[in-house]
Amino acid sequence: MGGTKTELALFQIKEGKLLALKNQRYATTDHQSFVEAIRNFHDDQSSVIDCACLGVAGTVDGDKVKGVNFTWEIDAKKIESDLNIRTVLLINDLQANAYGLSALGDSDFEFIAKGEKSEGNAVVISPGTGLGEAGMFWDGTYYHPYATEGGHCSFAPSNELDAELWKFLKNNFDHVSWERLVSGQGILNIYQFLRNYNAKKEPEWLTEQLKIDHSAKVISLAAIEKKDPVSVETMQLFFKYLAIESSQLALKTKATGGIFIGGGIVPKNLNLIDKKEFYKNFINTGRMEHLLKNIPIKIVLNDKTALMGAAYYAAMGITD
């Protein structure tokens, strides 16, 4: 359940495995509430749902969560009552992503750096509508995913261009977080800054496209097709900042088990990633470079990862 899309699925546990019966993806803004979305998806009153798990892009506080980039207020107890569901569990959407990694195979990943196979903590970082981050604590036998709000930590400039970008964003936002750069809206923010900073007139065709669809997709497509130099530079900066924040997250959690890059943006723009440049920005941490050089960096290609993670979590709620 995110700022852009909500994906719903109904599963059955059969012979110890999860069997997907149906699933549907909606634009989050298509419905006034989550209850309305569920009723649209599953109106079979005779089918009792034993347990539902909602992976929500927001901070979970007990039985409630309010999204950061969407207006729904989620109350687990109210949903149980309104929809006749025995148990409703709430977790952060990135925590769901972390649980879902166990369902993936080798073909579901693209490597940026293979690193060295090592036991230890791991992290997930996912640029999408916002910037989600989660950790996975390694206890020596199992991983234990946990949510964070690291995407809302303060962006730190490292050169003159970064400082000018920070000033530009500070004029528009009270707080300049990493999410203001490493997200779909972040791509638009970087683009708008560079257009002003470079004093380059926006091509008419691009102006018209942005009027129709004011989204990061327009900028990334212009970069892929190499039709606009400012769009190309925008995406280069976006991946630079993603590498830097991935590095900082790795250091704070000592994520020797790996970095998993999720979200909807990166898999759709694989052709724009300069892996050598990304790796260079990732390890550029002075005295801790030796630690980061050994960490595997993987892009998660499977867009059902969070859905599977929520399903696993719900299954655990039934079988525990």
Side-chain angles (χ1 to χ4, degrees):
M1 199 184 302
T4 301
K5 68 180 186 293
T6 292
E7 188 150 13
L8 302 174
L10 183 65
F11 288 86
Q12 181 181 33
I13 300 175
K14 195 168 185 179
E15 296 177 357
K17 295 182 180 179
L18 283 168
L19 175 66
L21 302 179
K22 62 177 180 176
N23 76 283
Q24 181 70 47
R25 181 175 290 180
Y26 300 93
T28 300
T29 52
D30 282 353
H31 299 92
Q32 294 297 312
S33 69
F34 176 70
V35 169
E36 182 185 307
I38 281 283
R39 284 180 173 148
N40 181 274
F41 170 71
H42 182 68
D43 58 1
D44 182 3
Q45 298 299 317
S46 65
S47 175
V48 177
I49 297 173
D50 294 295
C51 186
C53 175
L54 315 182
V56 187
T59 303
V60 178
D61 183 11
D63 292 325
K64 296 181 181 180
V65 58
K66 189 175 188 307
V68 177
N69 291 305
F70 62 93
T71 58
W72 292 352
E73 290 189 10
I74 307 299
D75 184 325
K77 294 302 180 188
K78 189 172 187 309
I79 292 170
E80 286 175 358
S81 174
D82 289 349
L83 297 174
N84 191 29
I85 299 174
R86 291 173 184 169
T87 305
V88 173
L89 304 171
L90 298 180
I91 60 175
N92 177 267
D93 63 328
L94 260 291
Q95 192 177 1
N97 257 286
Y99 275 108
L101 292 173
S102 61
L104 305 184
D106 292 343
S107 63
D108 292 308
F109 299 106
E110 172 80 20
F111 275 93
I112 289 181
K114 293 203 171 178
E116 292 183 8
K117 220 171 184 182
S118 174
E119 292 186 342
N121 302 332
V123 294
V124 184
I125 180 167
S126 295
T129 304
L131 176 62
E133 299 182 359
M136 291 181 282
F137 167 66
W138 174 250
D139 70 0
T141 306
Y142 299 108
Y143 279 109
H144 301 271
Y146 61 91
T148 83
E149 292 299 339
H152 297 286
C153 290
S154 300
F155 165 65
S158 59
N159 59 30
E160 186 178 334
L161 180 68
D162 291 355
E164 291 300 317
L165 174 55
W166 182 90
K167 289 177 188 175
F168 174 83
L169 293 174
K170 185 63 177 173
N171 287 332
N172 292 282
F173 306 105
D174 289 337
H175 174 235
V176 184
S177 67
W178 281 101
E179 182 171 278
R180 300 298 188 188
L181 294 101
V182 188
S183 64
Q185 183 58 51
I187 290 172
L188 289 172
N189 291 338
I190 295 169
Y191 171 78
Q192 288 161 359
F193 161 72
L194 288 175
R195 187 62 71 186
N196 292 333
Y197 185 75
N198 295 329
K200 290 184 178 178
K201 191 174 185 311
E202 187 173 78
E204 286 185 18
W205 62 267
L206 187 51
T207 302
E208 291 304 312
Q209 286 192 15
L210 286 168
K211 283 180 184 176
I212 297 167
D213 180 12
H214 191 67
S215 73
K217 182 171 64 176
V218 174
I219 304 303
S220 62
L221 186 59
I224 289 170
E225 296 175 350
K226 297 181 180 178
K227 292 170 69 176
D228 174 54
V230 175
S231 296
V232 171
E233 188 178 357
T234 295
M235 296 307 296
Q236 288 172 345
L237 277 181
F238 168 81
F239 283 113
K240 172 190 171 184
Y241 297 138
L242 173 58
I244 292 170
E245 176 58 0
S246 297
S247 172
Q248 295 191 42
L249 185 58
L251 288 175
K252 288 176 181 177
T253 57
K254 197 184 177 188
T256 54
I259 308 290
F260 295 89
I261 301 174
I265 296 173
V266 178
K268 294 172 185 172
N269 292 282
L270 293 177
N271 292 340
L272 293 176
I273 303 174
D274 182 332
K275 292 183 179 181
K276 288 183 179 178
E277 188 67 18
F278 191 102
Y279 183 68
K280 175 183 167 187
N281 286 316
F282 178 78
I283 65 171
N284 184 23
T285 56
R287 291 174 291 175
M288 283 293 107
E289 185 175 301
H290 68 283
L291 175 67
L292 295 174
K293 277 184 174 180
N294 295 325
I295 295 178
I297 308 170
K298 302 179 186 180
I299 298 169
V300 180
L301 303 177
N302 192 322
D303 65 358
K304 303 289 186 188
T305 307
L307 187 70
M308 289 303 302
Y312 280 151
Y313 198 86
M316 287 190 289
I318 296 170
T319 56
D320 282 351

